[in-house]
């Protein structure tokens, strides 16, 4: 029995009040695997609505948060403000933040440390781009991203690591269970050697990138895959089947 299965739904910049209400109504009334932890991540301006509408068993995550409590940071939101709304989680280091918004490994690591210090749990995303995989740099990239975080935090208890190969995100090109397992196993080994054996055993390492109801079951069978971070399919009814991939 490994760590508790975790399924996150990253809605990205999608949804309206009405759409999200419908989605949450249907999640609230679905039979969800009780052994799975489910967390949804709506756009920040709908966090309050989603926290109020979702059953309390469903966690809510922001998709980003800055590394300061308040101040002159136009356009940003803080972990303190998330706490104020009862939001438990934040996604940090998503490849879209890294690529489109040029967030560095160092900034992401500072944000991870700050959110944790504030009492917000973190889904920390790492993963290589296509050209990095093709030039044999996958392990190097993943190591660099992990090292940056490890420089800023010692306690990984409230961190879920999401391995999301960039080439698999939104492309319909899912990593094979073997490809994903290989990197998850490496991440666990890295945690064992660089943090602690307990951290390696207890940390959820989840996979993201074109997960859907048809590929989730096989991926979930892999020894080191402890759940998923789902993008596109989290906006559809099949999200429930992904949550229930192990039953
Ligand atoms: O955060 C989720 C990932 O970016 C995966 O997105 P996707 O399931 O649409 O490929």
């Amino acid at each position: 029995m490994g760590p508790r299965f975790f399924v996150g739904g990253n809605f990205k910049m999608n949804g309206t009040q009405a759409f999200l209400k419908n989605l949450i109504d249907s999640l609230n009334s679905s039979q969800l695997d009780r052994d799975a932890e489910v967390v949804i991540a709506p756009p920040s301006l709908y966090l309050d609505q989603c926290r109020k509408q979702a059953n309390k068993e469903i966690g809510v995550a922001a998709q980003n948060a800055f590394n300061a409590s308040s101040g002159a940071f136009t356009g940003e939101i803080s972990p303190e403000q998330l706490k104020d709304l009862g939001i438990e989680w934040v996604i940090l280091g998503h490849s879209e933040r890294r690529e489109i918004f040029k967030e560095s490994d160092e900034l992401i690591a500072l944000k991870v440390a700050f959110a944790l210090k504030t009492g917000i749990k973190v889904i920390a995303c790492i993963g290589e781009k296509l050209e990095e995989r093709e030039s044999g740099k996958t392990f190097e990239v993943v190591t660099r991203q992990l090292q940056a975080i490890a420089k800023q935090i010692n306690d990984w208890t409230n961190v879920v690591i999401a391995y999301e190969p960039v080439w698999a995100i939104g492309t319909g090109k899912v990593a094979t269970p073997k490809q994903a397992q290989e990197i998850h196993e490496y991440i666990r080994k890295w945690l064992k050697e660089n943090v602690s054996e307990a951290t390696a055993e207890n940390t959820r390492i989840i996979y993201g990138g074109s997960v859907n109801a048809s590929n989730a079951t096989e991926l979930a069978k892999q020894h080191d895959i402890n759940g998923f971070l789902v993008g596109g399919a989290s906006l559809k009814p099949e999200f429930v089947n992904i949550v229930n991939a192990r039953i």
Side-chain angles (χ1 to χ4, degrees), residues 39 51 56 58-61 82 86-90 119-122:
V39 174
R51 184 55 290 165
K56 64 176 186 335
I58 298 174
V60 177
L82 296 178
I87 305 301
E88 307 90 349
W89 289 89
V90 62
I120 302 291
K121 295 179 269 191
V122 172

Side-chain angles (χ1 to χ4, degrees), residues 64-80:
N64 190 20
F66 194 57
N67 53 316
S69 305
S70 62
F73 303 105
T74 303
E76 294 296 315
I77 58 172
S78 78
E80 296 285 350

Side-chain angles (χ1 to χ4, degrees), residues 126-128 133 138-139 142 161-165 167-168 173-189 205-211 215-216 218-229:
I126 58 173
E128 82 288 358
R133 173 162 283 258
T138 300
F139 293 102
V142 165
I161 298 173
Y163 168 62
E164 302 206 310
W167 47 271
K173 206 171 152 189
V174 65
T176 63
K178 193 163 162 267
Q179 278 174 324
Q181 166 59 24
E182 183 188 26
I183 310 300
H184 283 233
E185 191 179 342
Y186 171 76
I187 295 168
R188 207 175 298 286
K189 184 165 146 270
I205 306 172
I206 64 174
Y207 169 80
S210 296
V211 174
N215 56 37
E218 275 314 301
L219 285 161
K221 281 184 191 154
Q222 302 304 305
H223 184 259
D224 291 295
I225 298 184
N226 308 120
F228 302 114
L229 186 56

Side-chain angles (χ1 to χ4, degrees), residues 10 12 94 96 164 168-170 208-211 229-232:
N10 178 7
K12 309 195 177 183
H94 191 279
E96 287 146 22
E164 302 206 310
I169 296 178
S210 296
V211 174
L229 186 56
V230 185

Side-chain angles (χ1 to χ4, degrees), residues 26-157:
S26 84
L27 273 181
N28 282 344
S29 58
S30 297
Q31 289 271 40
L32 302 175
D33 179 357
R34 283 168 175 278
D35 293 330
E37 181 166 10
V38 180
V39 174
I40 54 170
S44 60
L45 74 172
Y46 300 121
L47 283 165
D48 192 36
Q49 174 194 337
C50 291
R51 184 55 290 165
K52 285 175 177 150
Q53 289 171 348
N55 287 347
K56 64 176 186 335
E57 293 73 28
I58 298 174
V60 177
Q63 297 173 14
N64 190 20
F66 194 57
N67 53 316
S69 305
S70 62
F73 303 105
T74 303
E76 294 296 315
I77 58 172
S78 78
E80 296 285 350
Q81 292 170 324
L82 296 178
K83 251 180 120 173
D84 185 41
L85 294 191
I87 305 301
E88 307 90 349
W89 289 89
V90 62
I91 298 173
L92 291 170
H94 191 279
S95 66
E96 287 146 22
R97 299 299 317 170
R98 292 176 187 267
E99 288 307 304
I100 306 169
F101 302 100
K102 309 293 174 218
E103 292 193 12
S104 65
D105 292 340
E106 289 69 31
L107 175 63
I108 291 157
L110 290 172
K111 288 180 171 192
V112 169
F114 197 87
L116 292 173
K117 207 172 75 188
T118 311
I120 302 291
K121 295 179 269 191
V122 172
I123 302 165
C125 305
I126 58 173
E128 82 288 358
K129 293 186 260 189
L130 182 62
E131 62 267 29
E132 293 166 333
R133 173 162 283 258
E134 284 174 346
S135 55
K137 290 199 177 126
T138 300
F139 293 102
E140 191 187 306
V141 170
V142 165
T143 307
R144 193 196 71 221
Q145 293 168 335
L146 286 169
Q147 265 165 353
I149 298 173
K151 257 193 184 173
Q152 300 297 336
I153 68 165
N154 297 316
D155 185 355
W156 293 66
T157 313

